[in-house]
Amino acid sequence: LERAPLNSALASMDAVSTKAALQKLDISKLSAFANNQVLKVLARSGDLAATEAHFAAMPEHNHFAFATVVKALIRADRLDRAADYLEQAAASNTNLGTSTVAGILNLLSIRPHSDAAQRLLDLLPRSGLTEDGGFERLSDQLRHIADLAAKERYFTLMQSIGVAPDLLAVNMMIEACAKTANPVRAQHYFDMARSCGVEPNAISYSSLLDAHLRANQLDRCFELADRMRADNIEPNEATYVHLIKAASLARQPQRVTELLSTAVSQVGASAPLFAVAISGFARLGDFDGVRSCLADV
């Protein structure tokens, strides 16, 4: 009954009611979970003084508590203070985990570099990264960053704390560059993969091919297809879709026909393949080709 007001305040994420309820309770008798929830509500409200005061009053601090305070301080651009808490976490051997490290990198990726930011980066390897190189969550965070500049900054920050790029991260960077029609940057990340001992796959090639296609570098698309075969990498559906579109833009209807036939035999008939072929034939004014595709569909 004594905790009912606090439970109600936490359920509604009401920081004012939470602080009022805390005044009638002994924080040391609250469970770690309850204290963490209080910290979460206070941090989300932006009341840093109350957040830090509650952290100091908590009888114990786990990775959630440290992560909550650190990220709240970074959001408020209190980077030096956030670094102080990372040092506390490291001193107490509290492993923040890769998810928290990913969140911190994400927050830093949209802020200008500074001495305080560098201090945070220097502390991160001691605050959550493991020795086995299992950094999939760090790479996965890239898919949640929309802006290419911020994505590239995050990728660079990953490397700055000793994380070698994996195929997932490299492919997401190539794809992001493709979406902005930037084949030069896409090629940069493609080459980086091999320099780091990571072999590109069909997704890597398809995204790089898409970058050249969007930049209207059609001959380069066909060169990449030849390079794929030389590297014994089987094209996937996306590869053929890009190649068929490139052939139609290059006004090569015979090549469109040949690519569609090869694609159907290699990866199977699909709506995207026939859609891009029909669109290509229509663009070329080749209505026999359109009719042939429709008949095959």
Side-chain angles (χ1 to χ4, degrees):
L1 291 176
E2 288 179 351
R3 296 181 187 177
L6 177 62
N7 293 338
S8 177
L10 292 176
S12 60
M13 300 294 288
D14 186 338
V16 175
S17 298
T18 296
K19 286 187 282 187
L22 284 174
Q23 293 177 0
K24 302 175 183 178
L25 295 173
D26 183 350
I27 293 175
S28 66
K29 293 182 180 180
L30 292 178
S31 67
F33 176 80
N35 271 315
N36 285 339
Q37 291 304 108
V38 169
L39 204 60
K40 179 180 176 180
V41 170
L42 296 176
R44 286 193 176 185
S45 73
D47 189 339
L48 296 180
T51 302
E52 290 196 79
H54 187 75
F55 182 93
M58 290 170 62
E60 57 180 323
H61 305 115
N62 56 21
H63 72 281
F64 184 92
F66 277 110
T68 300
V69 177
V70 168
K71 287 192 280 190
L73 288 165
I74 294 175
R75 288 190 185 96
D77 292 320
R78 299 273 305 279
L79 304 190
D80 269 323
R81 190 67 182 134
D84 291 341
Y85 282 96
L86 277 187
E87 285 191 336
Q88 287 185 47
S92 61
N93 294 316
T94 302
N95 189 321
L96 298 187
T98 51
S99 291
T100 297
V101 173
I104 292 172
L105 288 180
N106 192 11
L107 290 170
L108 291 177
S109 72
I110 57 175
R111 286 168 170 76
H113 189 68
S114 62
D115 290 342
Q118 187 58 53
R119 184 182 167 210
L120 277 167
L121 292 171
D122 292 341
L123 287 165
L124 278 180
R126 292 190 285 144
S127 306
L129 297 181
T130 56
E131 297 295 331
D132 60 6
F135 302 118
E136 205 168 296
R137 288 183 183 175
L138 287 182
S139 297
D140 190 63
Q141 183 65 35
L142 282 165
R143 74 175 74 253
H144 303 296
I145 304 173
D147 180 69
L148 177 59
K151 198 182 289 275
E152 291 201 271
R153 171 105 172 110
Y154 180 94
F155 188 91
T156 301
L157 292 177
M158 281 177 57
Q159 293 177 285
S160 74
I161 62 172
V163 180
D166 59 10
L167 188 58
L168 174 64
V170 169
N171 281 349
M172 281 194 280
M173 293 308 303
I174 298 172
E175 180 185 13
C177 294
K179 288 179 178 178
T180 59
N182 193 334
V184 173
R185 294 302 294 164
Q187 185 69 53
H188 165 76
Y189 289 106
F190 185 92
D191 294 339
M192 179 186 291
R194 283 202 163 131
S195 68
C196 295
V198 177
E199 280 302 313
N201 60 7
I203 296 173
S204 316
Y205 272 99
S206 294
S207 295
L208 180 58
L209 199 153
D210 186 32
H212 288 286
L213 175 62
R214 291 177 188 241
N216 202 36
Q217 298 176 352
L218 306 180
D219 288 341
R220 181 62 178 145
C221 294
F222 303 126
E223 290 171 7
L224 281 170
D226 292 337
R227 185 174 168 186
M228 281 185 78
R229 285 188 283 271
D231 288 344
N232 294 315
I233 296 176
E234 292 294 327
N236 57 19
E237 180 189 80
T239 309
Y240 283 115
V241 166
H242 298 324
L243 287 172
I244 291 170
K245 185 173 183 179
S248 70
L249 290 172
R251 307 196 67 78
Q252 299 177 10
Q254 183 58 37
R255 196 170 212 166
V256 172
T257 301
E258 293 170 357
L259 284 167
L260 179 60
S261 176
T262 302
V264 170
S265 65
Q266 294 295 319
V267 300
S270 70
L273 287 172
F274 279 99
V276 73
I278 290 170
S279 175
F281 283 126
R283 181 184 294 110
L284 295 169
D286 185 346
F287 297 107
D288 287 337
V290 171
R291 281 189 288 271
S292 176
C293 282
L294 290 172
D296 288 341
V297 171

